[in-house]
Amino acid sequence: MYGLNISHNIAKLRRERKMTQEELADFLGVTKASVSKWENQQSTPDIMLLPLMASFFDVTVDELLGYEPQLSKEQIRKVYTELTENFTKMPFSEAMNQVEKWVQRYYSCYPFLLQICVLYLNHFMLAEKEEEGRATLEKAVKLCSRIEEKCSNVSICSDAIALKALCFLYQGKAKEVIEMLEPITGPEQMSEQNDTLLIQAYQAAGQEEKAKSFAQIRQYHYLLSLIGNAVHYLALYSKEEERCEEAIKRIQGIMKIYHVNELHPNSAAQFYYQAALVYAENGQKEKALKMLEDFSRCVLELLKEKRRLLHGDDYFDQLDEWLENLPLGAQAPRDKTFIRQSTVMAFEHPAFACIKDTQQFQKIRNRIQDGKEQKRC
């Protein structure tokens, strides 16, 4: 897919211009037999002839070769899906070799490189050897640095910085993350007001639909950010039962109001899992099992074969177009087989020692493993 195809292109361009092989050969100063061999894939033109041939056909050398240095959004999604599937079908090193081939070919396609960084971060833990995992994270860091240095798109560069910071965290480089993000992420930063200012500007310019759409997108973002922050909040205060109980109560209320289980089951699943850990660590077995039940339902939503993973609803009725235009669209960044495997492994957390032998715990775990939702009365 997306390979060089100079033989086909020479023949195609020549026929489009109604020229014979002999006419092309005369112009280039080669034999007719040489042109015939090029078109039949028996040999390739000398590199010095490529600019002359491109000029003759009035195309660029890249067009003559069939080389596209940039991938479209649809191509990026397709390639990403193929590469994620490789991690479930072949050894880690082989899957990585396939990724590296694409990186080498599209080293100047920065939107693609950004998604490769996402892929590295989502799969480095599958490495058979610890050093392979570390090397994968380092590859992601280098790609992020290249994007920062070479890409002129501010949004892509901003995402690269965030991914690089995440890599550093996985590498145990907390100080580097603080140095990188503290100057640009503090709550006192004026940039926090940009969303409100842009909405007001859209309104002032008479672009009412843009204002509505952007307001919905940002509210959706902040909603997911709040839930993600709550996961870390529970981990930080896991020993303070009353505080955690209140936090769980408040976030559950927000999630119910905004239908987060249906809108973004991945975020909901992460919250329920962390809540289950907190309850288990504090000996509240029934509540821990209840959170694991909710966790399993969200995971099973993620595993549904024909489910559109991300979508809006009656309240967020302008999200779908924006979601479809995301680099990976509404698809999951990991293969569903990997999601199921990693979820089953999550049940092995030491905090669940107090409930792992219960019938209910085993049923929940097996339901994830089998991929079947329990029928509800």
Side-chain angles (χ1 to χ4, degrees):
M1 185 168 60
Y2 316 124
L4 299 183
N5 204 2
I6 188 170
S7 298
H8 170 79
N9 288 343
I10 292 173
K12 177 175 176 289
L13 290 166
R14 180 179 60 76
R15 291 184 184 120
E16 285 177 353
R17 287 154 180 77
K18 298 180 180 179
M19 296 173 180
T20 64
Q21 289 182 341
E22 189 172 6
E23 287 174 324
L24 177 58
D26 288 343
F27 180 83
L28 297 174
V30 298
T31 65
K32 177 179 178 293
S34 294
V35 175
S36 177
K37 288 181 179 179
W38 298 341
E39 294 186 358
N40 290 310
Q41 299 183 358
Q42 296 176 351
S43 66
T44 55
D46 186 279
I47 190 172
M48 300 302 293
L49 291 175
L50 296 181
L52 185 61
M53 200 184 314
S55 175
F56 180 72
F57 288 130
D58 193 25
V59 296
T60 66
V61 173
D62 281 353
E63 289 171 327
L64 178 65
L65 293 171
Y67 174 63
E68 299 177 10
Q70 300 295 313
L71 289 169
S72 68
K73 189 176 296 183
E74 290 71 24
Q75 288 171 329
I76 290 175
R77 293 176 187 175
K78 186 174 183 180
V79 174
Y80 187 98
T81 300
E82 291 175 358
L83 294 177
T84 57
E85 290 173 353
N86 286 344
F87 283 99
T88 64
K89 297 177 181 177
M90 57 181 68
F92 182 82
S93 58
E94 290 183 26
M96 283 296 295
N97 286 337
Q98 295 299 314
V99 177
E100 289 304 303
K101 289 178 181 178
W102 281 98
V103 170
Q104 290 172 1
R105 179 162 175 74
Y106 292 98
Y107 203 48
S108 62
C109 182
Y110 302 117
F112 175 66
L113 294 186
L114 186 71
Q115 298 313 313
I116 291 298
C117 292
V118 173
L119 184 142
Y120 284 155
L121 281 164
N122 280 319
H123 297 85
F124 79 92
M125 68 292 294
L126 297 178
E128 287 89 358
K129 300 178 181 178
E130 188 176 339
E131 56 265 30
E132 284 184 313
R134 290 197 299 266
T136 302
L137 286 175
E138 193 55 41
K139 290 177 188 292
V141 169
K142 289 179 179 178
L143 285 184
C144 287
S145 296
R146 173 173 172 77
I147 294 169
E148 284 182 75
E149 180 184 351
K150 301 292 185 180
C151 183
S152 59
N153 186 305
V154 175
S155 177
I156 291 176
C157 288
S158 177
D159 288 344
I161 291 171
L163 290 176
K164 187 175 181 179
L166 186 54
C167 288
F168 282 163
L169 272 183
Y170 284 134
Q171 292 175 319
K173 299 178 179 179
K175 290 183 179 179
E176 285 86 342
V177 176
I178 293 170
E179 291 173 1
M180 183 190 306
L181 298 184
E182 202 169 49
I184 61 175
T185 314
E188 73 282 354
Q189 296 291 321
M190 289 290 291
S191 60
E192 293 296 316
Q193 301 179 27
N194 287 350
D195 293 345
T196 301
L197 291 173
L198 186 54
I199 292 171
Q200 291 176 328
Y202 281 141
Q203 286 182 294
Q207 300 180 40
E208 194 75 16
E209 289 306 308
K210 271 194 172 183
K212 291 178 181 178
S213 176
F214 190 74
Q216 283 196 24
I217 292 168
R218 297 317 294 167
Q219 189 175 146
Y220 176 79
H221 263 296
Y222 291 134
L223 172 63
L224 299 183
S225 180
L226 175 63
I227 296 168
N229 181 275
V231 171
H232 296 292
Y233 187 92
L234 289 177
L236 287 168
Y237 291 102
S238 62
K239 301 301 181 183
E240 298 185 31
E241 291 187 51
E242 289 186 11
R243 183 186 289 268
C244 286
E245 191 72 59
E246 183 63 22
I248 292 170
K249 177 182 176 182
R250 292 188 184 200
I251 296 300
Q252 278 190 298
I254 291 171
M255 289 170 63
K256 182 177 180 180
I257 291 170
Y258 282 96
H259 304 273
V260 175
N261 288 19
E262 293 78 32
L263 276 178
H264 207 282
N266 186 49
S267 291
Q270 291 179 46
F271 174 79
Y272 291 132
Y273 181 76
Q274 186 60 51
L277 286 177
V278 169
Y279 281 136
E281 288 171 358
N282 287 287
Q284 299 190 53
K285 300 178 182 180
E286 291 301 318
K287 289 184 177 180
L289 289 168
K290 173 61 172 62
M291 289 296 108
L292 285 178
E293 284 281 4
D294 291 337
F295 167 71
S296 71
R297 291 192 184 100
C298 291
V299 171
L300 289 171
E301 277 296 308
L302 290 170
L303 296 175
K304 285 183 178 178
E305 288 299 324
K306 296 183 179 180
R307 186 186 189 281
R308 188 171 185 269
L309 186 59
L310 299 178
H311 57 85
D313 60 11
D314 291 341
Y315 180 77
F316 289 114
D317 58 3
Q318 297 201 31
L319 280 188
D320 287 342
E321 183 178 354
W322 169 73
L323 289 169
E324 188 57 38
N325 285 321
L326 291 175
L328 296 180
Q331 73 184 61
R334 293 173 177 171
D335 183 81
K336 290 183 178 181
T337 301
F338 175 55
I339 293 174
R340 177 178 284 109
Q341 292 172 347
S342 59
T343 302
V344 171
M345 289 177 60
F347 282 83
E348 302 302 320
H349 195 287
F352 296 136
C354 63
I355 57 175
K356 70 176 185 179
D357 293 329
T358 65
Q359 186 178 19
Q360 188 177 356
F361 182 89
Q362 293 300 323
K363 281 184 177 180
I364 297 170
R365 185 182 183 280
N366 292 339
R367 202 153 65 233
I368 296 292
Q369 198 161 16
D370 298 338
K372 295 179 181 178
E373 174 63 286
Q374 184 182 43
K375 291 184 179 180
R376 302 169 72 181
C377 299

